Amino acid sequence: MLSEASSLQYLLVNFSSMFTEPSFRNFMALACGWVLCTGRRTVSRVIQVAGLTDEQPNHHSVFYYFFSRAKWNPNELGTVVLRLILKLLPESVPIILTVDDTLCRKSGAHLWGGGMHHDALLSNYGRGKSMVKFFSFGHNWVIVCVCIQTPWNEERWMAVPVAFRLYRSKKRCPKAKYRKRTELARKMLEELDAHIPLDRRVILVGDTEYACREVVRNLPQRVVFVGPMAMDAALYDPPPEKKMGRGRPRKKGRRLKSPKQLIKDRSLRWKPYEMLLYGRRVTVLVKTQTCLWYTVAGARLVRMIVTRDPSGRIEDRAYFSTDAEMTPKEIAPFFSLRWTQEEMHRNVKQHLRLEDPQNGWWRRPKGKRKNKKIPGPKPHMERGRKAVTRTVP
């Protein structure tokens, strides 16, 4: 069966530098078997479907050890993918990154890194009914992707993951090791920025959680952030020039209208723009202004837009870009590319069964007495950490 995946094996050769020779053979075998597997994708099932038990001279346990004991860094996987993508993107095309998190549902109290997290799929956001929030047990991953156009349709985009971090809830993580999702995202962006040529333009797209001070204020100057803006955001003019005299210079100018107030302002007319949003060409009404959103972007000038659906089916929304020269016709389409990452999450869960692997468990040694049952996860120190943090990447 592995002979059918020769083109995939040719692509995987690019990852050989980050493994030892035995680990690279195991990596090739597992990657090809994972794609060819049509059933539940546990490690044992992948080995069986790929026929590795017949062809491999080594014991089948070496494939489990590949995740739990072999010496390789999962962060380098994304670095190799990023380098391959940069070769395909023309220098005139900006590099578009998206950041978001996703929940991989798991079960079992002895799974390392597991915890209760908000389940966006089961929850709702009101929508005419009372708001309901659900929580599910599993792993919450913060992922950064690169968006690329599909060669068969220039109006279609796809997200390719290049950086991964496991978020651990504050209750289940040692205080010294706890990091918020926004802090994990900022760390990944700093690492990726080091591998992107300095002459390339970079655009980062994030949702409400990542349109915050922690991410936006700490971005390199060449990285442009595009995301949603709060409807009651405090906006200001740029600060006036410093005058002679005592006292520190002002950081903000006069207070401007918030997005909600701008929508109600009848003195400023709506302007229609035709845009490509989520694969469809639509007409959107827009109001815009250049301002400071000091709470989030600091002294960096931003372009803010408020959008309205002429049909009235979608509520009014506000977005911003840290590039004040970016036009309203660019901001909304850039933000719509965030949905490509949601599609990627769905595809890897439904077609590659990202939630199936069961490695990362701790099993009680034979003969040891069972402890008194205590609610909540009960992992055994760091047992299973490597397997958990390597399998998803």
Side-chain angles (χ1 to χ4, degrees):
M1 293 183 69
L2 289 179
S3 59
E4 302 173 8
S6 57
S7 59
L8 176 61
Q9 290 177 329
Y10 179 77
L11 177 65
L12 296 179
V13 169
N14 293 281
F15 298 86
S16 60
S17 61
M18 57 176 292
F19 299 105
T20 62
E21 185 176 348
S23 293
F24 180 65
R25 289 198 300 266
N26 296 335
F27 168 75
M28 292 271 286
L30 285 169
C32 296
W34 199 298
V35 174
L36 294 172
C37 184
T38 56
R40 193 179 180 202
R41 285 176 172 83
T42 58
V43 177
S44 58
R45 177 66 178 164
V46 168
I47 295 173
Q48 293 173 357
V49 170
L52 298 177
T53 53
D54 301 328
E55 300 177 8
Q56 285 285 339
N58 299 326
H59 195 266
H60 64 84
S61 61
V62 299
F63 297 105
Y64 292 93
Y65 293 158
F66 174 78
F67 294 106
S68 61
R69 299 186 185 181
K71 293 183 179 180
W72 58 279
N73 189 349
N75 296 333
E76 295 180 7
L77 284 170
T79 302
V80 175
V81 175
L82 178 62
R83 289 172 181 167
L84 293 174
I85 293 175
L86 291 178
K87 294 178 181 178
L88 301 176
L89 294 178
E91 294 185 1
S92 59
V93 176
I95 300 171
I96 304 174
L97 304 177
T98 63
V99 58
D100 202 359
D101 55 271
T102 186
L103 174 64
C104 292
R105 298 181 189 87
K106 300 284 183 177
S107 61
H110 298 289
L111 182 65
W112 187 90
M116 296 298 294
H117 301 281
H118 177 255
D119 194 328
L121 187 61
L122 298 180
S123 305
N124 65 22
Y125 297 91
R127 300 194 179 113
K129 303 178 181 179
S130 59
M131 183 176 293
V132 179
K133 292 185 178 180
F134 279 91
F135 290 82
S136 297
F137 183 82
H139 292 140
N140 187 256
W141 286 89
V142 182
I143 301 176
V144 177
C145 298
V146 179
C147 291
I148 57 176
Q149 287 177 302
T150 56
W152 55 86
N153 186 351
E154 293 185 354
E155 295 185 353
R156 295 282 297 177
W157 293 72
M158 63 184 299
V160 181
V162 293
F164 323 81
R165 286 293 188 281
L166 178 66
Y167 168 74
R168 299 181 65 189
S169 62
K170 195 171 186 179
K171 186 182 294 185
R172 301 296 174 186
C173 182
K175 187 176 181 180
K177 296 182 179 180
Y178 175 72
R179 297 291 184 274
K180 296 187 292 185
R181 280 185 284 263
T182 52
E183 292 176 326
L184 297 175
R186 180 174 60 85
K187 182 65 176 176
M188 287 188 289
L189 292 169
E190 290 174 355
E191 294 175 357
L192 291 175
D193 184 66
H195 297 283
I196 298 176
L198 295 177
D199 58 340
R200 300 298 296 269
R201 187 185 181 207
V202 182
I203 298 175
L204 174 65
V205 182
D207 61 8
T208 306
E209 182 174 6
Y210 300 95
C212 64
R213 177 199 300 252
E214 178 67 36
V215 176
V216 179
R217 281 202 181 189
N218 294 290
L219 288 177
Q221 193 63 29
R222 67 167 175 153
V223 179
V224 176
F225 186 90
V226 177
M229 176 179 281
M231 298 300 287
D232 58 349
L235 306 178
Y236 299 88
D237 263 337
E241 294 184 5
K242 187 180 184 306
K243 298 180 179 179
M244 296 297 293
R246 302 176 64 180
R248 67 171 179 83
R250 295 183 61 180
K251 296 183 178 180
K252 300 175 286 188
R254 65 184 179 89
R255 181 77 177 261
L256 299 178
K257 294 179 180 179
S258 67
K260 185 183 292 186
Q261 294 170 334
L262 195 65
I263 290 173
K264 296 179 180 179
D265 184 7
R266 296 187 177 182
S267 63
L268 185 62
R269 294 186 177 182
W270 294 94
K271 292 184 179 180
Y273 288 90
E274 185 178 339
M275 305 177 184
L276 179 65
L277 301 177
Y278 306 105
R280 298 178 61 184
R281 295 198 173 273
V282 296
T283 300
V284 181
L285 302 178
V286 175
K287 290 183 180 181
T288 181
Q289 68 179 3
T290 304
C291 55
L292 291 180
W293 190 13
Y294 194 81
T295 306
V296 171
R300 195 167 181 176
L301 207 60
V302 304
R303 167 77 69 176
M304 182 272 288
I305 66 170
V306 289
T307 60
R308 169 168 288 181
D309 181 9
S311 65
R313 290 179 295 178
I314 301 176
E315 61 185 6
D316 298 340
R317 296 174 182 174
Y319 308 96
F320 78 101
S321 167
T322 55
D323 181 4
E325 302 298 324
M326 190 176 289
T327 64
K329 200 171 182 179
E330 294 175 314
I331 295 176
F334 274 134
F335 180 75
S336 69
L337 294 179
R338 192 192 69 82
W339 191 251
T340 59
Q341 183 163 352
E342 300 287 359
E343 292 178 332
M344 184 274 294
H345 293 162
R346 179 201 62 186
N347 292 337
V348 296
K349 289 179 182 179
Q350 292 187 357
H351 302 301
L352 295 180
R353 307 298 293 272
L354 189 69
E355 299 172 315
D356 283 355
Q358 295 178 291
N359 51 347
W361 295 87
W362 171 69
R363 291 176 174 81
R364 186 177 71 257
K366 186 177 180 181
K368 187 178 179 180
R369 296 184 62 181
K370 185 183 294 187
N371 297 330
K372 183 180 179 181
K373 289 187 176 181
I374 303 174
K378 296 179 286 294
H380 183 66
M381 297 187 294
E382 294 294 297
R383 186 75 177 268
R385 179 182 62 84
K386 282 189 175 181
V388 168
T389 55
R390 289 174 168 185
T391 303
V392 165

